[in-house]
Each structure stands twice: as C-alpha cells, then as structure tokens.
Amino acid sequence: MNYSYWELKEWFTNIDFTIIGSGIVGLNCALELKKKHPKANILILEKGMLPQGASTKNAGFACFGSLSELIDDLNSHTEQEVYNLVDKRWKGLQFLRKNLGDKNIDFQQNKGFELFENKAFFEECISRKDEINQLLQPIFKSDVFSESENVFGFQKIHPKYIVNNFEGQIDTGKMAFQLLQKVQKLGIKILNTISVESFVESGNLFEVKTDKINFTTNKLCIATNGFANQLLDEKIQPARAQVLITKPIKNLHIKGTFHLDKGYYYFRNINNRILFGGGRNLDFKTEETSEFGQTKIIQNQLEKILKETILPNTNFEIEHRWSGIMGVGNQKKAIVKQISNNVFCGVRLGGMGVAIGSLVGKELAELLD
C-alpha cells in the first residue's frame, strides 16, 4: 500500500524517539521523554490491537514478593540484592499509584496471603519471618509478614497462612487505559497492529523496518519484555502464564491476593469472581514460549485446585481463559541498558511488571539524556 503525502509527513517524518511496545514500560518511557523534551516527536509502535505483552494480561497483583519467594531469592542473591529488589518494587508501586491515582486503577490494599500445602514448608518459612521482616524494616517501617488462621475456608492446605500486610491489587485494564489517555493527551502518537521486524543504522539515523512501512528515527527504545529476543540478543526467556476467571459467585467471601505452592499458583477476588492463574511449574519447557494459548495439563490442574481447595462446596463456572507472556531470566533485576549509540532497552521484568514497570520506563527514558 502506498501511504499519502499527509500520512507520511504526519506520522513517519522527523521522528525523534520511537518506542516499540505500548505496555507499562513503553508508555511510561514516552511520558518521561515528553516531560524532558516537550517539543519532541514521539512515536509508539504496538504489534497488537491492544498492548500485547503482560501489562493487560496479568493478574493485577500489586505485590513485591511473598515470604517464600524472598527466602528463595536469598539462595541466588545477596541480602543487599534482595533488599534492593523489594525496595524498587515498592517504590515502583508508589510511583504507579501517584501517577495514575488509586481510584483510577481500582487499587485496593486487601493484603496478600501465602498458603501452604504441608506443615514442614510452612514452619521452614515462618522460622525466617523475623529475619525477613528485619531486612525489610528500613523500607516499610513495620513488619511486612505475620501469621493468620484459615479464615477463608480453603481446603487441603495448612491451617495457618502467612500474611503480607502491604500487598494490594489493581485493575490492569484501567491502568493501561489511564496510561494511554495520559500519553495521547500529550500528543504522543501510537500505531497499533504494526510489527517491527528489524532496525539498521543509516548514517546518524536508524531505519526501522516493519510489516507495514519502513521509516527513520533518531533514537529507538525497545520495551517488549517477554518478546524482546525477537529484536535483541539478551538473556531473556519468554514465560507463558495461563489464567482463567469464573463467572460471578454469589456471596463470595474471599478477599485479597493469594499465593500457593511457592507462588506458582496465584488467585484473587475481582467483581465477585475468582481470577486464578499459574501452573507453569507443571511443564516449564512448554511454557517457555512467546505463543499465546492454553494446555490441558495446566488448565485441568487449575480447575482441580479451584474445586478442591479454593471453592470447595461452591458451585462455579469458568467464564474465560487467556494467557500472557512474561520476560524472565537467571537474575531478577530488569535489563535497562544502552544497546548502541541510539538504541536502548528496558526489558525482563521477571513477572513484576505492575510493581517495577513504571520505574523501568522512567529509567529507560533517562538513559537517552
């Protein structure tokens, strides 16, 4: 297709910054760039009709790590590294809330609850509760983790939970909508259903080659997280997460965010429904993919846990299923770096996009100064 003179002039000429990916990182990067360079011509490219990454496909946990997860992190990270991870996640959540407003993203701090299938693992984690609370004391000025009785009636689990007193939940659809509105009000252009295939240096500019059109840009920012390896040579592994949601359930008394089996399963209440995801640990190899979809082994297990553990003696129906693609690696720290003179990336959010995505986008923009 041949584009008109007007289309070429308005959308593809004299572009200062091109951002690939319209998720939480890409949109926050655009906002920060516009703040620093008010007259800049900024273009965001998105391959999906909606943001295709995990930003609008996750469970909406405003979390920074369950007790068992942080204990496990200490096996591969130093205490200072774990402290820094939690500190950044917490600061990122506060930045997100301040930027968009709690009401606009339906933020609720209903606490997080970690459930345990056996007594030994519960006691192992609870024995280190005070140690982790002390480590995190400078961030929260209070104990993060405490114990609670089984007040929700779950079955086949230990009778006590470990509570994260600072964990919350958001509506990630509302989050993305608010970010998109802020970006568009500033005159930043977004093009959807356009896929970047490659980019090559062309003098002082970069030529961006897409499935629709080729054009040049001064600087290029890659914010595609789990899909980043399609354009970058970085240590990023795509990781698919499968999710389902029930139809509304009358008199649903479950309230909060919940972690089970070291966080490999997670569920929450939303609009009198249960949103439930996870099971990647049942088949790691198959789930190391950037392809969307569901598998019987994981979906069957999600339904089994729903029926036997989460909603015993409760009639429910599954209304919808979907999947999202995370970007993970052997380290929990995100990759925010300069690739070449005019190419930059902010990727590998490690399943913590809600918590750190806003800050990663801001840091990505700051690299360009």
Side-chain angles (χ1 to χ4, degrees):
M1 181 172 118
N2 291 329
Y3 292 92
S4 74
Y5 166 77
W6 311 111
E7 292 166 335
L8 294 172
K9 181 172 72 72
E10 184 62 29
W11 277 275
F12 299 106
T13 301
N14 298 324
I15 301 171
D16 297 299
F17 305 104
T18 297
I19 300 168
I20 307 174
S22 70
I24 187 171
V25 175
L27 295 176
N28 275 283
C29 177
L31 289 173
E32 189 66 20
L33 286 172
K34 199 65 173 178
K35 186 189 301 182
K36 293 175 177 293
H37 309 278
K39 295 182 180 180
N41 187 3
I42 302 173
L43 176 65
I44 301 174
L45 304 179
E46 169 58 52
K47 70 178 179 179
M49 181 180 71
L50 301 172
Q52 189 129 338
S55 294
T56 52
K57 294 178 173 61
N58 59 56
F61 280 39
C63 63
F64 48 85
S66 65
L67 181 59
S68 68
E69 181 182 358
L70 297 180
I71 291 170
D72 188 57
D73 286 343
L74 286 170
N75 294 326
S76 54
H77 298 72
T78 66
E79 279 195 1
Q80 187 61 51
E81 286 173 334
V82 171
Y83 177 91
N84 291 343
L85 285 171
V86 174
D87 187 46
K88 182 169 184 176
R89 292 166 182 171
W90 184 244
K91 286 177 178 174
L93 287 169
Q94 306 320 302
F95 181 79
L96 171 68
R97 293 171 61 190
K98 183 179 179 182
N99 188 30
L100 300 181
D102 285 353
K103 184 178 180 180
N104 290 331
I105 59 175
D106 194 19
F107 174 81
Q108 300 175 36
Q109 197 166 61
N110 294 329
K111 301 184 180 181
F113 302 86
E114 183 164 14
L115 316 181
F116 295 84
E117 294 179 306
N118 65 76
K119 181 179 179 181
F121 187 47
F122 170 81
E123 291 182 345
E124 177 188 340
C125 290
I126 210 70
S127 70
R128 299 188 66 180
K129 173 176 68 72
D130 292 343
E131 170 196 345
I132 302 298
N133 279 337
Q134 185 175 357
L135 174 65
L136 303 182
Q137 182 75 23
I139 301 172
F140 297 94
K141 316 301 181 192
S142 179
D143 285 349
V144 174
F145 298 105
S146 59
E147 291 183 53
S148 172
E149 299 294 329
N150 184 348
V151 296
F152 295 107
F154 300 134
Q155 300 293 315
K156 295 189 174 183
I157 60 165
H158 189 269
K160 288 188 176 182
Y161 313 148
I162 294 177
V163 183
N164 182 327
N165 295 292
F166 291 88
E167 189 163 306
Q169 58 194 69
I170 69 168
D171 183 316
T172 53
K174 291 183 177 180
M175 175 198 73
F177 180 74
Q178 291 295 322
L179 281 170
L180 287 165
Q181 274 199 319
K182 286 176 77 77
V183 164
Q184 290 170 329
K185 282 180 181 178
L186 292 174
I188 296 167
K189 299 180 180 74
I190 304 176
L191 294 178
N192 291 78
T193 65
I194 179 169
S195 296
V196 176
E197 298 174 342
S198 64
F199 53 88
V200 293
E201 193 166 3
S202 178
N204 293 326
L205 301 173
F206 267 86
E207 183 179 13
V208 180
K209 298 184 177 183
T210 80
D211 62 344
K212 302 287 195 305
I213 190 173
N214 298 345
F215 64 92
T216 57
T217 185
N218 287 326
K219 295 184 185 297
L220 186 66
C221 300
I222 299 171
T224 52
N225 196 28
F227 302 97
N229 279 347
Q230 296 171 8
L231 295 171
L232 297 173
D233 183 20
E234 295 291 332
K235 294 180 179 178
I236 305 164
Q237 178 66 57
R240 183 171 63 192
Q242 299 184 37
V243 186
L244 57 77
I245 193 166
T246 68
K247 290 183 177 180
I249 299 169
K250 287 184 178 180
N251 303 316
L252 183 68
H253 64 284
I254 296 169
K255 187 176 182 180
T257 51
F258 299 84
H259 307 258
L260 178 65
D261 192 8
K262 301 181 182 179
Y264 282 118
Y265 296 95
Y266 43 88
F267 61 97
R268 60 171 286 192
N269 66 299
I270 174 73
N271 300 329
N272 296 317
R273 307 162 185 262
I274 291 294
L275 186 156
F276 185 29
R280 191 165 60 91
N281 55 324
L282 295 175
D283 189 3
F284 276 123
K285 197 64 184 173
T286 298
E287 299 309 299
E288 291 177 355
T289 178
S290 57
E291 298 293 325
F292 295 103
Q294 291 85 41
T295 60
K296 284 186 177 181
I297 184 175
I298 290 177
Q299 292 296 314
N300 288 344
Q301 184 66 5
L302 291 178
E303 290 192 34
K304 183 174 187 288
I305 295 172
L306 257 181
K307 184 177 181 179
E308 297 178 359
T309 298
I310 303 171
L311 296 169
N313 307 313
T314 301
N315 292 323
F316 66 88
E317 292 181 68
I318 307 302
E319 182 169 83
H320 187 53
R321 307 172 196 263
W322 70 92
S323 61
I325 310 299
M326 302 177 288
V328 301
N330 57 1
Q331 287 289 303
K332 294 289 183 78
K333 189 176 180 181
I335 299 174
V336 185
K337 63 187 280 190
Q338 185 170 358
I339 303 297
S340 65
N341 286 341
N342 295 299
V343 180
F344 308 80
C345 75
V347 294
R348 199 181 69 183
L349 276 66
M352 284 285 173
V354 169
I356 65 172
S358 300
L359 281 185
V360 169
K362 186 173 184 290
E363 291 171 0
L364 176 57
E366 289 170 347
L367 281 181
L368 278 69
D369 289 341

